[in-house]
Amino acid sequence: MDQFLIELSEAKETQASSDVDAKTIKCTNCTDDAPATSSCVECAEYICESCVQAHQRLKFTRNHTINTKEEALIDDKTTTNDEKMLMCHVHPQEKLSLFCETCDISTCRDCQLVDHRYHKYKDANETRATLKLLLNELTYKRDLLNSEIKAIDEREKLIADGKEKLVTKITNMVVRITNTVYMRGKQLEMRLSEVCDGESLDQCNDRSC
């Protein structure tokens, strides 16, 4: 019972701490130190109401996904380490949410606005989706190629086995023919000896040997 009360107390403290954190989160997109009300998925930032409106007005960010602050907090708890590593090394607070097609590299929003301002770019999620399709197609073609290679290997094995059997068959046939010719030769020799011996005997009888 005491253990249950302790665990219940700890759970309440954790929940309270989480609620305090949610209330104290500030907007990381502006310098007004305003409390955050939402979160931009592509920018990976907590933003205030003014920044939400700015996101919706700007062509560069109008298609970004805006979640509530509470949804973002849940996502942060379930985010993997690999996902957390997708941050810009130049601007650590910025997520690599874009892909510069001119330079063929992933960039964050700030990098694209400064170092890649006039470059052609796409949303990183769109690029990932394209790469995923290409990877799936490549995997399919690889599996198809492996299947063809396997079929060729099996056919080559059948040819090799057939050749070995045919060579064995020819060898056995040659041996049989050779033996037959040899035996026939012996039979002819014996027959010749019999004929010759018979003629010699007849000649001897005619002469009254």
Side-chain angles (χ1 to χ4, degrees):
M1 186 66 176
D2 292 341
Q3 182 63 31
F4 172 78
L5 292 175
I6 293 174
E7 292 177 355
L8 181 60
S9 176
E10 290 177 348
K12 289 182 177 180
E13 291 177 358
T14 300
Q15 181 64 39
S17 176
S18 178
D19 292 340
V20 171
D21 291 341
K23 292 178 181 179
T24 57
I25 292 177
K26 303 295 183 180
C27 178
T28 58
N29 190 62
C30 64
T31 58
D32 296 339
D33 201 29
T37 60
S38 307
S39 172
C40 175
V41 175
E42 284 74 15
C43 297
E45 287 185 329
Y46 288 98
I47 55 180
C48 62
E49 188 60 33
S50 297
C51 289
V52 171
Q53 296 177 5
H55 263 61
Q56 295 171 345
R57 286 196 303 268
L58 294 175
K59 180 180 179 181
F60 187 78
T61 57
R62 66 176 56 171
N63 292 324
H64 285 193
T65 303
I66 305 298
N67 291 334
T68 65
K69 179 174 57 178
E70 289 71 23
E71 290 174 335
L73 287 171
I74 294 174
D75 289 340
D76 285 344
K77 293 179 181 178
T78 58
T79 299
T80 63
N81 290 331
D82 289 339
E83 292 172 332
K84 292 179 180 178
M85 289 175 64
L86 297 177
M87 306 300 291
C88 179
H89 67 280
V90 179
H91 308 96
Q93 300 301 320
E94 294 290 336
K95 188 176 181 180
L96 295 174
S97 58
L98 302 173
F99 182 79
C100 180
E101 294 184 323
T102 303
C103 300
D104 197 28
I105 59 173
S106 297
T107 63
C108 72
R109 178 190 56 184
D110 290 349
C111 286
Q112 198 67 47
L113 287 173
V114 178
D115 299 327
H116 306 267
R117 179 177 299 177
Y118 302 108
H119 293 181
K120 185 178 180 181
Y121 68 91
K122 283 185 178 181
D123 184 87
N125 290 330
E126 181 182 351
T127 303
R128 291 190 190 98
T130 302
L131 290 176
K132 185 176 181 180
L133 289 175
L134 292 174
L135 181 60
N136 290 338
E137 183 179 355
L138 181 62
T139 301
Y140 169 76
K141 290 184 176 180
R142 182 198 62 188
D143 293 341
L144 185 62
L145 179 60
N146 289 336
S147 178
E148 293 293 336
I149 292 175
K150 183 178 179 181
I152 292 174
D153 291 340
E154 290 176 351
R155 184 173 294 274
E156 288 181 345
K157 187 177 184 303
L158 288 175
I159 293 174
D161 292 343
K163 177 183 177 182
E164 184 178 353
K165 291 179 180 178
L166 186 58
V167 169
T168 302
K169 186 176 180 179
I170 292 173
T171 301
N172 293 335
M173 185 181 297
V174 170
V175 171
R176 288 199 301 270
I177 293 174
T178 302
N179 290 336
T180 301
V181 171
Y182 178 78
M183 294 302 297
R184 185 56 177 167
K186 286 296 184 179
Q187 291 174 358
L188 292 175
E189 287 180 4
M190 292 175 62
R191 181 58 180 164
L192 179 60
S193 297
E194 291 174 356
V195 171
C196 291
D197 292 344
E199 289 182 353
S200 298
L201 182 59
D202 290 343
Q203 290 178 359
C204 183
N205 291 332
D206 291 342
R207 297 176 182 175
S208 300
C209 295

